PDB file of all heavy atoms in Angstrom:
ATOM      1  N   PRO B  21      10.543  56.127 -30.086  1.00 90.00           N
ATOM      2  CA  PRO B  21       9.165  56.224 -30.371  1.00 90.00           C
ATOM      3  C   PRO B  21       8.248  55.613 -29.250  1.00 90.00           C
ATOM      4  O   PRO B  21       7.243  56.371 -28.896  1.00 90.00           O
ATOM      5  CB  PRO B  21       9.013  55.527 -31.708  1.00 90.00           C
ATOM      6  CG  PRO B  21      10.336  55.359 -32.316  1.00 90.00           C
ATOM      7  CD  PRO B  21      11.263  55.333 -31.127  1.00 90.00           C
ATOM      8  N   ALA B  22       8.624  54.467 -28.792  1.00 90.00           N
ATOM      9  CA  ALA B  22       7.699  53.810 -27.790  1.00 90.00           C
ATOM     10  C   ALA B  22       7.800  54.726 -26.535  1.00 90.00           C
ATOM     11  O   ALA B  22       6.688  55.006 -25.858  1.00 90.00           O
ATOM     12  CB  ALA B  22       8.152  52.438 -27.506  1.00 90.00           C
ATOM     13  N   MET B  23       9.013  55.185 -26.088  1.00 90.00           N
ATOM     14  CA  MET B  23       9.060  55.897 -24.882  1.00 90.00           C
ATOM     15  C   MET B  23       8.310  57.296 -24.956  1.00 90.00           C
ATOM     16  O   MET B  23       7.608  57.683 -24.067  1.00 90.00           O
ATOM     17  CB  MET B  23      10.466  56.246 -24.540  1.00 90.00           C
ATOM     18  CG  MET B  23      11.221  54.888 -24.110  1.00 90.00           C
ATOM     19  SD  MET B  23      10.500  54.119 -22.732  1.00 90.00           S
ATOM     20  CE  MET B  23      11.351  55.068 -21.374  1.00 90.00           C
ATOM     21  N   VAL B  24       8.455  57.990 -26.134  1.00 90.00           N
ATOM     22  CA  VAL B  24       7.798  59.240 -26.308  1.00 90.00           C
ATOM     23  C   VAL B  24       6.265  59.187 -26.172  1.00 90.00           C
ATOM     24  O   VAL B  24       5.613  59.812 -25.486  1.00 90.00           O
ATOM     25  CB  VAL B  24       8.134  59.909 -27.619  1.00 90.00           C
ATOM     26  CG1 VAL B  24       7.197  61.083 -27.993  1.00 90.00           C
ATOM     27  CG2 VAL B  24       9.667  60.271 -27.601  1.00 90.00           C
ATOM     28  N   LEU B  25       5.725  58.004 -26.896  1.00 90.00           N
ATOM     29  CA  LEU B  25       4.362  57.831 -26.940  1.00 90.00           C
ATOM     30  C   LEU B  25       3.780  57.538 -25.436  1.00 90.00           C
ATOM     31  O   LEU B  25       2.859  58.049 -24.989  1.00 90.00           O
ATOM     32  CB  LEU B  25       3.976  56.601 -27.804  1.00 90.00           C
ATOM     33  CG  LEU B  25       3.322  56.914 -29.076  1.00 90.00           C
ATOM     34  CD1 LEU B  25       3.142  55.709 -29.851  1.00 90.00           C
ATOM     35  CD2 LEU B  25       2.060  57.740 -28.881  1.00 90.00           C
ATOM     36  N   VAL B  26       4.519  56.623 -24.742  1.00 89.00           N
ATOM     37  CA  VAL B  26       4.072  56.279 -23.408  1.00 89.00           C
ATOM     38  C   VAL B  26       4.140  57.546 -22.497  1.00 89.00           C
ATOM     39  O   VAL B  26       3.201  57.663 -21.710  1.00 89.00           O
ATOM     40  CB  VAL B  26       5.039  55.114 -22.819  1.00 89.00           C
ATOM     41  CG1 VAL B  26       4.872  54.999 -21.346  1.00 89.00           C
ATOM     42  CG2 VAL B  26       4.797  53.861 -23.487  1.00 89.00           C
ATOM     43  N   PHE B  27       5.141  58.307 -22.769  1.00 88.00           N
ATOM     44  CA  PHE B  27       5.341  59.541 -21.907  1.00 88.00           C
ATOM     45  C   PHE B  27       4.065  60.481 -22.164  1.00 88.00           C
ATOM     46  O   PHE B  27       3.362  60.840 -21.209  1.00 88.00           O
ATOM     47  CB  PHE B  27       6.518  60.323 -22.149  1.00 88.00           C
ATOM     48  CG  PHE B  27       6.616  61.653 -21.445  1.00 88.00           C
ATOM     49  CD1 PHE B  27       6.890  61.572 -20.043  1.00 88.00           C
ATOM     50  CD2 PHE B  27       6.373  62.679 -22.027  1.00 88.00           C
ATOM     51  CE1 PHE B  27       6.938  62.856 -19.292  1.00 88.00           C
ATOM     52  CE2 PHE B  27       6.343  64.030 -21.392  1.00 88.00           C
ATOM     53  CZ  PHE B  27       6.667  64.031 -20.035  1.00 88.00           C
ATOM     54  N   PHE B  28       3.713  60.714 -23.400  1.00 88.00           N
ATOM     55  CA  PHE B  28       2.661  61.631 -23.693  1.00 88.00           C
ATOM     56  C   PHE B  28       1.238  61.062 -23.334  1.00 88.00           C
ATOM     57  O   PHE B  28       0.359  61.878 -23.034  1.00 88.00           O
ATOM     58  CB  PHE B  28       2.769  62.119 -25.201  1.00 88.00           C
ATOM     59  CG  PHE B  28       3.755  63.236 -25.405  1.00 88.00           C
ATOM     60  CD1 PHE B  28       4.983  62.937 -25.914  1.00 88.00           C
ATOM     61  CD2 PHE B  28       3.357  64.452 -24.922  1.00 88.00           C
ATOM     62  CE1 PHE B  28       5.987  64.013 -26.128  1.00 88.00           C
ATOM     63  CE2 PHE B  28       4.310  65.539 -25.033  1.00 88.00           C
ATOM     64  CZ  PHE B  28       5.598  65.262 -25.682  1.00 88.00           C
ATOM     65  N   VAL B  29       1.044  59.840 -23.537  1.00 87.00           N
ATOM     66  CA  VAL B  29      -0.234  59.269 -23.294  1.00 87.00           C
ATOM     67  C   VAL B  29      -0.505  58.935 -21.852  1.00 87.00           C
ATOM     68  O   VAL B  29      -1.611  58.838 -21.416  1.00 87.00           O
ATOM     69  CB  VAL B  29      -0.630  58.163 -24.320  1.00 87.00           C
ATOM     70  CG1 VAL B  29      -1.976  57.670 -24.154  1.00 87.00           C
ATOM     71  CG2 VAL B  29      -0.466  58.742 -25.707  1.00 87.00           C
ATOM     72  N   THR B  30       0.500  58.444 -21.196  1.00 84.00           N
ATOM     73  CA  THR B  30       0.283  58.026 -19.762  1.00 84.00           C
ATOM     74  C   THR B  30       0.790  59.060 -18.727  1.00 84.00           C
ATOM     75  O   THR B  30       0.154  59.120 -17.668  1.00 84.00           O
ATOM     76  CB  THR B  30       0.916  56.580 -19.443  1.00 84.00           C
ATOM     77  OG1 THR B  30       2.276  56.673 -19.529  1.00 84.00           O
ATOM     78  CG2 THR B  30       0.443  55.637 -20.493  1.00 84.00           C
ATOM     79  N   GLN B  31       1.963  59.610 -18.889  1.00 86.00           N
ATOM     80  CA  GLN B  31       2.391  60.434 -17.834  1.00 86.00           C
ATOM     81  C   GLN B  31       1.884  61.824 -17.828  1.00 86.00           C
ATOM     82  O   GLN B  31       1.444  62.303 -16.829  1.00 86.00           O
ATOM     83  CB  GLN B  31       4.067  60.462 -18.038  1.00 86.00           C
ATOM     84  CG  GLN B  31       4.711  59.171 -17.883  1.00 86.00           C
ATOM     85  CD  GLN B  31       4.352  58.463 -16.668  1.00 86.00           C
ATOM     86  OE1 GLN B  31       4.897  58.770 -15.575  1.00 86.00           O
ATOM     87  NE2 GLN B  31       3.567  57.361 -16.740  1.00 86.00           N
ATOM     88  N   LEU B  32       1.867  62.442 -18.986  1.00 88.00           N
ATOM     89  CA  LEU B  32       1.423  63.865 -19.083  1.00 88.00           C
ATOM     90  C   LEU B  32       0.013  63.972 -18.622  1.00 88.00           C
ATOM     91  O   LEU B  32      -0.336  64.969 -17.841  1.00 88.00           O
ATOM     92  CB  LEU B  32       1.551  64.298 -20.580  1.00 88.00           C
ATOM     93  CG  LEU B  32       1.965  65.724 -20.709  1.00 88.00           C
ATOM     94  CD1 LEU B  32       3.253  66.061 -20.019  1.00 88.00           C
ATOM     95  CD2 LEU B  32       2.224  66.046 -22.244  1.00 88.00           C
ATOM     96  N   PRO B  33      -1.015  63.035 -18.962  1.00 88.00           N
ATOM     97  CA  PRO B  33      -2.293  63.271 -18.436  1.00 88.00           C
ATOM     98  C   PRO B  33      -2.392  63.322 -16.920  1.00 88.00           C
ATOM     99  O   PRO B  33      -3.203  63.979 -16.334  1.00 88.00           O
ATOM    100  CB  PRO B  33      -2.982  62.083 -19.050  1.00 88.00           C
ATOM    101  CG  PRO B  33      -2.311  61.715 -20.241  1.00 88.00           C
ATOM    102  CD  PRO B  33      -0.937  62.033 -19.898  1.00 88.00           C
ATOM    103  N   PHE B  34      -1.465  62.472 -16.344  1.00 87.00           N
ATOM    104  CA  PHE B  34      -1.566  62.484 -14.781  1.00 87.00           C
ATOM    105  C   PHE B  34      -1.118  63.803 -14.235  1.00 87.00           C
ATOM    106  O   PHE B  34      -1.756  64.315 -13.267  1.00 87.00           O
ATOM    107  CB  PHE B  34      -0.637  61.370 -14.363  1.00 87.00           C
ATOM    108  CG  PHE B  34      -1.258  60.109 -14.342  1.00 87.00           C
ATOM    109  CD1 PHE B  34      -0.674  59.015 -15.112  1.00 87.00           C
ATOM    110  CD2 PHE B  34      -2.490  59.821 -13.677  1.00 87.00           C
ATOM    111  CE1 PHE B  34      -1.340  57.815 -15.246  1.00 87.00           C
ATOM    112  CE2 PHE B  34      -2.983  58.500 -13.729  1.00 87.00           C
ATOM    113  CZ  PHE B  34      -2.550  57.587 -14.453  1.00 87.00           C
ATOM    114  N   VAL B  35      -0.174  64.472 -14.871  1.00 88.00           N
ATOM    115  CA  VAL B  35       0.326  65.754 -14.431  1.00 88.00           C
ATOM    116  C   VAL B  35      -0.905  66.671 -14.536  1.00 88.00           C
ATOM    117  O   VAL B  35      -1.183  67.509 -13.606  1.00 88.00           O
ATOM    118  CB  VAL B  35       1.441  66.267 -15.279  1.00 88.00           C
ATOM    119  CG1 VAL B  35       1.815  67.649 -14.854  1.00 88.00           C
ATOM    120  CG2 VAL B  35       2.602  65.327 -15.172  1.00 88.00           C
ATOM    121  N   PHE B  36      -1.616  66.632 -15.623  1.00 88.00           N
ATOM    122  CA  PHE B  36      -2.752  67.411 -15.876  1.00 88.00           C
ATOM    123  C   PHE B  36      -3.886  67.101 -14.801  1.00 88.00           C
ATOM    124  O   PHE B  36      -4.415  68.045 -14.293  1.00 88.00           O
ATOM    125  CB  PHE B  36      -3.362  67.062 -17.250  1.00 88.00           C
ATOM    126  CG  PHE B  36      -4.477  67.955 -17.672  1.00 88.00           C
ATOM    127  CD1 PHE B  36      -4.322  69.126 -18.392  1.00 88.00           C
ATOM    128  CD2 PHE B  36      -5.856  67.592 -17.262  1.00 88.00           C
ATOM    129  CE1 PHE B  36      -5.416  69.949 -18.757  1.00 88.00           C
ATOM    130  CE2 PHE B  36      -6.951  68.401 -17.642  1.00 88.00           C
ATOM    131  CZ  PHE B  36      -6.718  69.579 -18.476  1.00 88.00           C
ATOM    132  N   THR B  37      -4.087  65.906 -14.562  1.00 89.00           N
ATOM    133  CA  THR B  37      -5.074  65.440 -13.524  1.00 89.00           C
ATOM    134  C   THR B  37      -4.844  66.103 -12.156  1.00 89.00           C
ATOM    135  O   THR B  37      -5.595  66.501 -11.479  1.00 89.00           O
ATOM    136  CB  THR B  37      -5.207  63.941 -13.373  1.00 89.00           C
ATOM    137  OG1 THR B  37      -5.557  63.472 -14.752  1.00 89.00           O
ATOM    138  CG2 THR B  37      -6.178  63.534 -12.411  1.00 89.00           C
ATOM    139  N   ILE B  38      -3.470  65.997 -11.765  1.00 89.00           N
ATOM    140  CA  ILE B  38      -3.049  66.583 -10.489  1.00 89.00           C
ATOM    141  C   ILE B  38      -3.369  68.127 -10.481  1.00 89.00           C
ATOM    142  O   ILE B  38      -4.003  68.604  -9.536  1.00 89.00           O
ATOM    143  CB  ILE B  38      -1.560  66.362 -10.245  1.00 89.00           C
ATOM    144  CG1 ILE B  38      -1.295  64.899 -10.113  1.00 89.00           C
ATOM    145  CG2 ILE B  38      -1.104  67.126  -9.001  1.00 89.00           C
ATOM    146  CD1 ILE B  38       0.155  64.418 -10.018  1.00 89.00           C
ATOM    147  N   GLY B  39      -3.062  68.760 -11.651  1.00 87.00           N
ATOM    148  CA  GLY B  39      -3.391  70.168 -11.707  1.00 87.00           C
ATOM    149  C   GLY B  39      -4.908  70.423 -11.549  1.00 87.00           C
ATOM    150  O   GLY B  39      -5.366  71.183 -10.668  1.00 87.00           O
ATOM    151  N   ALA B  40      -5.689  69.628 -12.315  1.00 86.00           N
ATOM    152  CA  ALA B  40      -7.133  69.869 -12.245  1.00 86.00           C
ATOM    153  C   ALA B  40      -7.749  69.473 -10.821  1.00 86.00           C
ATOM    154  O   ALA B  40      -8.756  70.072 -10.496  1.00 86.00           O
ATOM    155  CB  ALA B  40      -7.790  68.937 -13.284  1.00 86.00           C
ATOM    156  N   SER B  41      -7.124  68.587 -10.120  1.00 87.00           N
ATOM    157  CA  SER B  41      -7.586  68.259  -8.829  1.00 87.00           C
ATOM    158  C   SER B  41      -7.652  69.450  -7.840  1.00 87.00           C
ATOM    159  O   SER B  41      -8.379  69.334  -6.804  1.00 87.00           O
ATOM    160  CB  SER B  41      -6.825  66.968  -8.310  1.00 87.00           C
ATOM    161  OG  SER B  41      -5.553  67.356  -7.858  1.00 87.00           O
ATOM    162  N   PHE B  42      -6.849  70.430  -8.132  1.00 88.00           N
ATOM    163  CA  PHE B  42      -6.779  71.576  -7.231  1.00 88.00           C
ATOM    164  C   PHE B  42      -7.621  72.756  -7.756  1.00 88.00           C
ATOM    165  O   PHE B  42      -7.454  73.892  -7.299  1.00 88.00           O
ATOM    166  CB  PHE B  42      -5.362  72.073  -7.075  1.00 88.00           C
ATOM    167  CG  PHE B  42      -4.520  71.116  -6.213  1.00 88.00           C
ATOM    168  CD1 PHE B  42      -3.644  70.190  -6.753  1.00 88.00           C
ATOM    169  CD2 PHE B  42      -4.749  71.106  -4.763  1.00 88.00           C
ATOM    170  CE1 PHE B  42      -2.959  69.370  -5.880  1.00 88.00           C
ATOM    171  CE2 PHE B  42      -3.934  70.286  -3.947  1.00 88.00           C
ATOM    172  CZ  PHE B  42      -3.090  69.349  -4.627  1.00 88.00           C
ATOM    173  N   MET B  43      -8.524  72.391  -8.723  1.00 85.00           N
ATOM    174  CA  MET B  43      -9.342  73.493  -9.227  1.00 85.00           C
ATOM    175  C   MET B  43     -10.827  73.258  -9.079  1.00 85.00           C
ATOM    176  O   MET B  43     -11.299  72.116  -9.049  1.00 85.00           O
ATOM    177  CB  MET B  43      -9.050  73.572 -10.805  1.00 85.00           C
ATOM    178  CG  MET B  43      -7.676  74.279 -11.112  1.00 85.00           C
ATOM    179  SD  MET B  43      -7.235  74.203 -12.817  1.00 85.00           S
ATOM    180  CE  MET B  43      -8.498  75.329 -13.507  1.00 85.00           C
ATOM    181  N   ASN B  44     -11.545  74.445  -9.028  1.00 85.00           N
ATOM    182  CA  ASN B  44     -12.953  74.430  -9.012  1.00 85.00           C
ATOM    183  C   ASN B  44     -13.285  74.387 -10.468  1.00 85.00           C
ATOM    184  O   ASN B  44     -13.190  75.407 -11.148  1.00 85.00           O
ATOM    185  CB  ASN B  44     -13.421  75.704  -8.328  1.00 85.00           C
ATOM    186  CG  ASN B  44     -14.997  75.620  -8.273  1.00 85.00           C
ATOM    187  OD1 ASN B  44     -15.649  74.616  -8.490  1.00 85.00           O
ATOM    188  ND2 ASN B  44     -15.529  76.798  -7.766  1.00 85.00           N
ATOM    189  N   TRP B  45     -13.784  73.270 -10.959  1.00 85.00           N
ATOM    190  CA  TRP B  45     -13.867  73.171 -12.420  1.00 85.00           C
ATOM    191  C   TRP B  45     -15.070  72.254 -12.773  1.00 85.00           C
ATOM    192  O   TRP B  45     -14.943  70.987 -12.702  1.00 85.00           O
ATOM    193  CB  TRP B  45     -12.623  72.559 -13.010  1.00 85.00           C
ATOM    194  CG  TRP B  45     -12.572  72.624 -14.542  1.00 85.00           C
ATOM    195  CD1 TRP B  45     -13.574  73.113 -15.437  1.00 85.00           C
ATOM    196  CD2 TRP B  45     -11.545  72.080 -15.366  1.00 85.00           C
ATOM    197  NE1 TRP B  45     -13.172  72.871 -16.687  1.00 85.00           N
ATOM    198  CE2 TRP B  45     -11.926  72.281 -16.719  1.00 85.00           C
ATOM    199  CE3 TRP B  45     -10.270  71.524 -15.088  1.00 85.00           C
ATOM    200  CZ2 TRP B  45     -11.081  71.936 -17.796  1.00 85.00           C
ATOM    201  CZ3 TRP B  45      -9.495  71.297 -16.168  1.00 85.00           C
ATOM    202  CH2 TRP B  45      -9.885  71.366 -17.466  1.00 85.00           C
ATOM    203  N   ASN B  46     -16.220  72.872 -13.030  1.00 85.00           N
ATOM    204  CA  ASN B  46     -17.317  72.065 -13.443  1.00 85.00           C
ATOM    205  C   ASN B  46     -17.850  72.624 -14.824  1.00 85.00           C
ATOM    206  O   ASN B  46     -18.074  73.820 -14.931  1.00 85.00           O
ATOM    207  CB  ASN B  46     -18.514  72.283 -12.400  1.00 85.00           C
ATOM    208  CG  ASN B  46     -19.651  71.372 -12.735  1.00 85.00           C
ATOM    209  OD1 ASN B  46     -20.080  71.217 -13.854  1.00 85.00           O
ATOM    210  ND2 ASN B  46     -20.125  70.659 -11.571  1.00 85.00           N
ATOM    211  N   ALA B  47     -17.860  71.680 -15.709  1.00 78.00           N
ATOM    212  CA  ALA B  47     -18.311  72.147 -17.084  1.00 78.00           C
ATOM    213  C   ALA B  47     -19.631  72.752 -17.194  1.00 78.00           C
ATOM    214  O   ALA B  47     -19.976  73.533 -18.123  1.00 78.00           O
ATOM    215  CB  ALA B  47     -18.204  70.901 -18.023  1.00 78.00           C
ATOM    216  N   TYR B  48     -20.561  72.567 -16.334  1.00 80.00           N
ATOM    217  CA  TYR B  48     -21.781  73.253 -16.164  1.00 80.00           C
ATOM    218  C   TYR B  48     -21.711  74.636 -15.763  1.00 80.00           C
ATOM    219  O   TYR B  48     -22.596  75.508 -16.068  1.00 80.00           O
ATOM    220  CB  TYR B  48     -22.803  72.410 -15.255  1.00 80.00           C
ATOM    221  CG  TYR B  48     -23.171  71.132 -15.739  1.00 80.00           C
ATOM    222  CD1 TYR B  48     -23.422  70.087 -14.885  1.00 80.00           C
ATOM    223  CD2 TYR B  48     -23.551  70.899 -17.098  1.00 80.00           C
ATOM    224  CE1 TYR B  48     -23.782  68.807 -15.286  1.00 80.00           C
ATOM    225  CE2 TYR B  48     -23.895  69.693 -17.523  1.00 80.00           C
ATOM    226  CZ  TYR B  48     -24.056  68.618 -16.662  1.00 80.00           C
ATOM    227  OH  TYR B  48     -24.456  67.391 -17.166  1.00 80.00           O
ATOM    228  N   TYR B  49     -20.665  74.966 -15.007  1.00 80.00           N
ATOM    229  CA  TYR B  49     -20.499  76.307 -14.569  1.00 80.00           C
ATOM    230  C   TYR B  49     -19.103  76.907 -14.983  1.00 80.00           C
ATOM    231  O   TYR B  49     -18.267  77.020 -14.111  1.00 80.00           O
ATOM    232  CB  TYR B  49     -20.554  76.475 -13.006  1.00 80.00           C
ATOM    233  CG  TYR B  49     -21.816  75.725 -12.394  1.00 80.00           C
ATOM    234  CD1 TYR B  49     -21.631  74.499 -11.906  1.00 80.00           C
ATOM    235  CD2 TYR B  49     -23.040  76.323 -12.503  1.00 80.00           C
ATOM    236  CE1 TYR B  49     -22.744  73.761 -11.388  1.00 80.00           C
ATOM    237  CE2 TYR B  49     -24.158  75.690 -12.005  1.00 80.00           C
ATOM    238  CZ  TYR B  49     -24.136  74.449 -11.559  1.00 80.00           C
ATOM    239  OH  TYR B  49     -25.158  73.794 -11.045  1.00 80.00           O
TER     240      TYR B  49
END
Side-chain angles (χ1 to χ4, degrees):
Chain B
M23 292 299 276
V24 168
L25 258 179
V26 168
F27 176 77
F28 277 103
V29 181
T30 68
Q31 303 299 292
L32 218 52
F34 281 117
V35 177
F36 184 95
T37 300
I38 294 171
S41 69
F42 287 101
M43 283 172 72
N44 185 8
W45 185 2
N46 189 315
Y48 290 141
Y49 311 103

